């Protein structure tokens, strides 16, 4: 059996109305709930102008595997915080801003971001270190539900200028 930990995820950004069901299915596949002891999430939990939060116990590797993949594939920003699994891995915070790659930050059990001495050398300057900590504090924007005809028009406008 894989090493497991509890985790929470906060999701935000622009989402086409037709993608909401897929997001909810991904969260359900990961065992996500409305709160630590709550009910499963449904499409009504996705509200325009608010972030979406999900919570789960006993996630393999402490990750929302399906949810994170869905968000990355659809450009939805997220912040995942997961606990530790004794002897296997420590607590972490993972940031996906909606573009690029997700970035992992080690944390203490008190949810403070930890910067390892080896990484200080890699980052090089105080400005870069401060930017690294600012990224670690990223908060996803509220969800904006866009109608599918708006999403299609945006894609066509991008393709055809």
């Amino acid at each position: 059996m894989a090493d497991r930990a509890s985790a929470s995820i906060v999701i935000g950004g622009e989402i086409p109305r037709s993608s909401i069901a897929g997001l909810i299915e991904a969260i359900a596949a990961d065992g996500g709930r409305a709160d630590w002891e709550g009910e499963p999430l449904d499409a009504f939990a996705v509200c325009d102008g608010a972030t979406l939060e999900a919570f789960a116990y006993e996630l393999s590797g402490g990750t929302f595997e399906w949810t994170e993949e869905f968000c990355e594939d659809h450009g939805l920003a997220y912040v995942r915080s997961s606990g530790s699994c004794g002897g296997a891995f420590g607590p972490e915070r993972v940031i996906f801003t909606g573009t690029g790659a997700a970035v992992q930050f080690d944390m203490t059990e008190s949810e403070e971001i930890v910067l390892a001495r080896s990484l200080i050398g890699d980052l090089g300057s105080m400005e870069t270190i401060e930017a690294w900590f600012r990224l670690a504090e990223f908060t996803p924007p509220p969800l904006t539900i866009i109608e599918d005809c708006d999403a299609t028009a945006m894609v066509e406008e991008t393709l055809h200028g």
Side-chain angles (χ1 to χ4, degrees):
M1 178 174 228
D3 295 318
R4 299 181 174 278
S6 299
S8 63
I9 191 166
V10 179
I11 302 167
E14 289 188 351
I15 184 167
R17 189 169 300 280
S18 63
S19 295
I20 292 173
L23 175 59
I24 296 302
E25 288 172 15
I27 293 169
D30 289 323
R33 302 279 183 185
D35 58 47
W36 290 110
E37 302 299 327
E39 296 295 317
L41 291 165
D42 60 25
F44 296 109
V46 179
C47 299
D48 194 55
T51 55
L52 178 64
E53 295 183 67
F55 305 84
Y57 291 109
E58 299 297 318
L59 293 175
S60 178
T63 66
F64 279 87
E65 180 181 357
W66 297 105
T67 306
E68 292 175 43
E69 182 178 323
F70 182 93
C71 290
E72 291 172 18
D73 289 347
H74 292 84
L76 292 170
Y78 68 82
V79 172
R80 179 195 23 99
S81 296
S82 55
S84 62
C85 179
F89 54 84
E92 69 178 5
R93 179 176 171 100
V94 174
I95 307 291
F96 180 68
T97 63
T99 60
V103 181
Q104 183 265 337
F105 299 88
D106 291 332
M107 292 192 311
T108 66
E109 293 292 340
S110 300
E111 296 188 2
E112 292 178 291
I113 300 299
V114 176
L115 177 58
R117 176 178 250 172
S118 60
L119 188 53
I120 292 171
D122 292 344
L123 292 172
S125 70
M126 277 308 293
E127 293 80 20
T128 308
I129 291 169
E130 288 172 2
W132 184 86
F133 275 106
R134 279 192 302 277
L135 177 58
E137 296 169 352
F138 173 79
T139 301
L143 287 165
T144 301
I145 300 171
I146 55 176
E147 298 305 323
D148 293 308
C149 58
D150 294 342
T152 303
M154 287 175 25
V155 169
E156 288 178 8
E157 183 176 323
T158 302
L159 292 175
H160 301 293

